Structures are given as C-alpha cells and as structure tokens.
C-alpha cells in the first residue's frame, strides 16, 4: 500500500472519528441545512439531543391556552364592534415567508403540534405604552392566524388604562370592570380581540375565526383534551374503589 493511499485512509479514519464523536453536531447541521433553523424538525432534533429548546422560546405554556377562549362560553364578557380588528400590519392567513420577510429575524421561537398540523410562534421584543412587550405571531401550516401582545409579570404597563383605551376605541365607552376577561367581536369580519389582566401578565390576543379548517383543528384538539381528561378521571375513580 503506497503512501498516498495510506494518507487517504488515515484522513478518512480521522474524519469518521470526528463525526462519531460529534454526531449530534453533524446531525443538527444537516437538519438545519435541509429544513432550516426555524423548523419543527430542527427543534425536535435539538430537544432530543439536549432536552431543551434551541434559543429563547416564544411561549412556555401550551398553545391551546392562547386559543381556547374563542371557542365556547368561557365566562368572558362579550362585546360587539363594527370597527376593524387587526394585529399590527399583519393580514390574517398571510403566508409565513411573505410576512416574515417584513418582520425579520425573530427574538423568540417556538413550535407546536395541533392535532397533526405543525404550528410555529415567532416572537419579537418591542416597547408599547412605555413598557416592554412581546409580539407573538402564530402560524398554522405556514399561515398566520393569531397575534398577541404579551406584557410579562414584571411589566410596568398600566393595564387598566390600556383596557379603557381599547373600550373607547372599539366600543365607544369605558370598560368598568378592568379585572375581567373580555372578548370584542367584529361579526362582519369574523375577527375577535381578547384581553385579560390576571395579575401575572396582561395579554391582548387577536384571532380571525373565518377559516373553518383551522377552527375544526382547534375544536378537535379541545375535544381531545376533554376525552383525555374524562379518561383520567374514570381511571382515578376506578383506582379509588380499590382503597
């Protein structure tokens, strides 16, 4: 065996050793090159290897906590408006590449599954009413369907003043009970605005309910949660009988 061949085999062996020792890095690199940094596949592989999400997450709770209030009677105050309801300059159901081109690189990112559909949340840091706020853009199957202003627990925003402003803008009156959750609906456009000040955070969420395919997926997920809860309760009751 000549020296050139030995050099080639040695280089190949060294490369294989490096790949073996750093297989996670190379696996992530391949997924990132193929699927992109902001993809469900990349986040899933990263979590599998390191048991955490890459970068800063946009939401830490279940995505359904940002949606369920628009379905069914959840004890919210219900109001109607004729004024258009929109989130920033984003158009509901706009395609992700087009919207992200305007928004730029996000500060936060999360992925989620809604039944079998892949969803993503892109978050951006901003300042509103002199307080830090997180702007969240929710996508399902690469289309924007929900937006949210999230003021954190340590935010110095005057939630009551903002709620009063929202009531004046959309309802033409002051909202007396600023501690209650409220949904303001424009039935002509099928758009809704929800706000809640629970003492831990202040959230204003915008949702368009005109896409029935998205609605069905959300309802299916909510019904699935009920089924799982009922099964758990039944199992609990059965096991209690053993005591």
């Amino acid at each position: 065996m000549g020296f050139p061949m030995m050099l080639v085999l040695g280089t190949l062996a060294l490369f294989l050793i490096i790949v073996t020792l750093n297989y996670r890095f190379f696996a992530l690199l391949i997924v990132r090159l193929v699927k992109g940094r902001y993809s469900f596949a990349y986040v899933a592989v990263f979590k599998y290897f390191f048991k955490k999400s890459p970068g800063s997450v946009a939401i830490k709770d279940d995505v359904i906590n940002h949606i369920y209030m628009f379905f069914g009677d959840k004890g919210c105050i219900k109001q109607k408006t004729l004024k258009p309801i929109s989130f920033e300059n984003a158009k509901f159901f706009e395609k992700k590449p087009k919207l992200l081109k305007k928004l730029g690189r996000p500060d936060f990112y999360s992925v989620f599954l809604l039944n079998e559909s892949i969803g993503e949340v892109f978050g951006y840091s901003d300042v509103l009413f002199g307080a830090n706020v997180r702007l969240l853009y929710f996508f399902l199957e690469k289309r924007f369907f929900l937006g949210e202003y999230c003021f954190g627990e340590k935010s110095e925003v005057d939630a009551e003043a903002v709620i009063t402003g929202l009531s004046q803008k959309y309802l033409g009156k002051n909202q007396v009970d600023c501690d209650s959750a409220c949904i303001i609906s424009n039935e002509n456009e099928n758009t809704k605005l929800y706000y809640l000040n629970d003492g831990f955070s202040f959230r204003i969420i915008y949702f368009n309910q005109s896409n029935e395919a998205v609605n069905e997926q959300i309802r299916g997920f909510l019904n699935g949660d009920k089924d799982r809860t009922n099964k758990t309760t039944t199992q609990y009751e059965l096991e209690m009988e053993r005591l």
Side-chain angles (χ1 to χ4, degrees):
M1 183 180 297
F3 178 76
M5 182 58 69
M6 292 178 61
L7 182 62
V8 171
L9 292 176
T11 303
L12 180 60
L14 180 61
F15 175 76
L16 291 175
I17 292 173
I18 293 174
V19 171
T20 302
L21 294 176
N22 298 276
Y23 71 96
R24 291 184 295 185
F25 169 78
F26 285 100
L28 281 171
L29 179 62
I30 292 172
V31 174
R32 182 168 175 171
L33 289 173
V34 175
K35 294 292 187 178
R37 177 182 178 182
Y38 302 109
S39 67
F40 183 87
Y42 180 76
V43 173
V45 174
F46 193 99
K47 283 186 173 181
Y48 176 79
F49 286 144
F50 301 106
K51 312 304 179 187
K52 63 178 182 179
S53 298
S56 300
V57 297
I59 58 172
K60 296 181 180 180
D61 57 344
D62 196 314
V63 67
I64 208 65
N65 293 330
H66 303 254
I67 308 172
Y68 76 89
M69 65 285 295
F70 298 108
F71 294 82
D73 184 8
K74 303 300 179 182
C76 300
I77 298 172
K78 304 291 178 65
Q79 303 277 8
K80 295 181 180 180
T81 183
L82 295 176
K83 294 192 174 182
I85 296 175
S86 60
F87 181 73
E88 292 289 306
N89 294 319
K91 295 180 180 178
F92 284 110
F93 308 113
E94 188 172 0
K95 291 184 178 180
K96 186 180 76 172
K98 183 178 179 180
L99 183 53
L100 292 184
K101 188 175 181 180
K102 294 183 289 186
L103 297 174
R105 183 175 178 176
D107 301 307
F108 314 94
Y109 178 72
S110 295
V111 296
F112 62 88
L113 281 176
L114 196 63
N115 293 331
E116 297 180 357
S117 296
I118 294 176
E120 301 169 280
V121 187
F122 290 79
Y124 298 83
S125 296
D126 208 334
V127 176
L128 193 60
F129 304 111
N132 292 329
V133 64
R134 185 174 294 190
L135 275 60
L136 302 177
Y137 295 79
F138 291 71
F139 295 84
L140 191 63
E141 295 296 350
K142 300 183 178 180
R143 287 187 178 274
F144 170 69
F145 75 103
L146 184 143
E148 178 178 337
Y149 296 105
C150 182
F151 297 88
E153 182 178 0
K154 298 180 180 180
S155 174
E156 297 180 356
V157 66
D158 187 342
E160 291 190 7
V162 176
I163 290 172
T164 299
L166 286 171
S167 297
Q168 291 173 340
K169 176 179 179 179
Y170 290 104
L171 307 174
K173 61 181 180 180
N174 294 339
Q175 176 66 39
V176 178
D177 188 359
C178 293
D179 294 326
S180 298
C182 178
I183 290 179
I184 300 174
S185 303
N186 181 318
E187 296 183 349
N188 294 329
E189 298 179 349
N190 229 346
T191 52
K192 297 182 178 182
L193 179 157
Y194 167 89
Y195 63 75
L196 172 64
N197 179 26
D198 59 10
F200 296 100
S201 64
F202 174 43
R203 298 188 294 164
I204 310 171
I205 305 176
Y206 299 71
F207 177 60
N208 186 303
Q209 210 163 354
S210 61
N211 189 314
E212 194 55 34
V214 172
N215 296 339
E216 284 301 314
Q217 291 189 63
I218 296 171
R219 291 192 191 100
F221 191 90
L222 290 171
N223 291 334
D225 271 356
K226 292 178 182 177
D227 292 341
R228 286 190 289 273
T229 301
N230 291 336
K231 290 178 182 178
T232 302
T233 303
T234 302
Q235 183 64 28
Y236 174 79
E237 292 172 347
L238 289 173
E239 294 183 0
M240 279 300 295
E241 292 178 1
R242 297 172 55 185
L243 302 181

